[in-house]
Amino acid sequence: MGSASSRDHLMKLLEPVVATAGLDLEDVTVTRAGKRSLLRVVVDKDGGVTLDDIAEVSQGVSDALDGDDSMGQSPYTLEVSSPGVDRPLTEPRHWRRAAKRLVKAELRDGGLVEGRIRAADESGVEIDVDGAPRRIDYQDLTRGRVQVEFRRFEDEEDDLDDTGDEG
């Protein structure tokens, strides 16, 4: 089985297992290292993934793989995790889950937009660019990336008192 068809098979096998736990299957990769393989399963959900979610999905994935020959007879290591901050935003759910985060978005026309996500729905995203909201349809985006912030937006709001002054 080729690597693309192997990945497709694993996605189809594991998607219902992950969905049963209330999560979305974001990606599956298999990396070969000598006689061993590393199977990485990336999951996510609104509100973020907990350690209990990871444990539940790990057990379900392990059980599903035990009943399937996708990984062959050689030993493998299973790693279940949530997506990292460097994951590209390509689906409406990715944009929705990144609400209030600072992003850099690549436009299909070659442009670039940087700002904070105000809201996202099934057709597009609203980004606060230099204090002004800008609506961008997903069809006009190629992808976006969350920008790493050492002091997040919520932290700034917490530092202001009721008058909007630092207190």
Side-chain angles (χ1 to χ4, degrees), residues 84-99:
V85 70
D86 61 341
R87 181 235 353 233
L89 306 175
T90 57
E91 300 288 331
R93 69 178 179 265
H94 300 161
W95 291 92
R96 185 181 69 246
R97 290 174 181 157

Side-chain angles (χ1 to χ4, degrees), residues 3-139:
S3 64
S5 60
S6 174
R7 181 185 180 280
D8 291 345
H9 175 76
L10 285 167
M11 291 289 287
K12 287 178 185 167
L13 174 69
L14 301 179
E15 198 160 24
V17 173
V18 172
T20 298
L23 288 90
D24 295 314
L25 180 60
E26 294 293 340
D27 197 16
V28 174
T29 59
V30 178
T31 307
R32 304 240 183 252
K35 295 180 181 180
R36 298 189 72 80
S37 296
L38 172 62
L39 171 60
R40 285 190 175 104
V41 178
V42 180
V43 297
D44 202 5
K45 73 174 183 179
D46 289 352
V49 178
T50 67
L51 289 176
D52 288 340
D53 294 329
I54 296 291
E56 180 181 348
V57 169
S58 294
Q59 186 61 54
V61 166
S62 181
D63 292 346
L65 291 170
D66 286 348
D68 187 85
D69 67 350
S70 311
M71 296 304 294
Q73 298 302 312
S74 58
Y76 67 92
T77 301
L78 173 62
E79 177 183 291
V80 178
S81 66
S82 60
V85 70
D86 61 341
R87 181 235 353 233
L89 306 175
T90 57
E91 300 288 331
R93 69 178 179 265
H94 300 161
W95 291 92
R96 185 181 69 246
R97 290 174 181 157
K100 297 184 180 180
R101 303 292 303 267
L102 185 64
V103 296
K104 191 177 284 188
E106 298 172 17
L107 304 175
R108 291 208 186 278
D109 67 7
L112 194 63
V113 173
E114 188 168 354
R116 193 166 303 280
I117 297 177
R118 299 180 102 195
D121 56 32
E122 290 305 308
S123 62
V125 61
E126 186 175 311
I127 300 176
D128 188 0
V129 180
D130 296 326
R134 178 174 175 188
R135 172 81 181 176
I136 305 170
D137 291 335
Y138 294 126
Q139 66 188 12

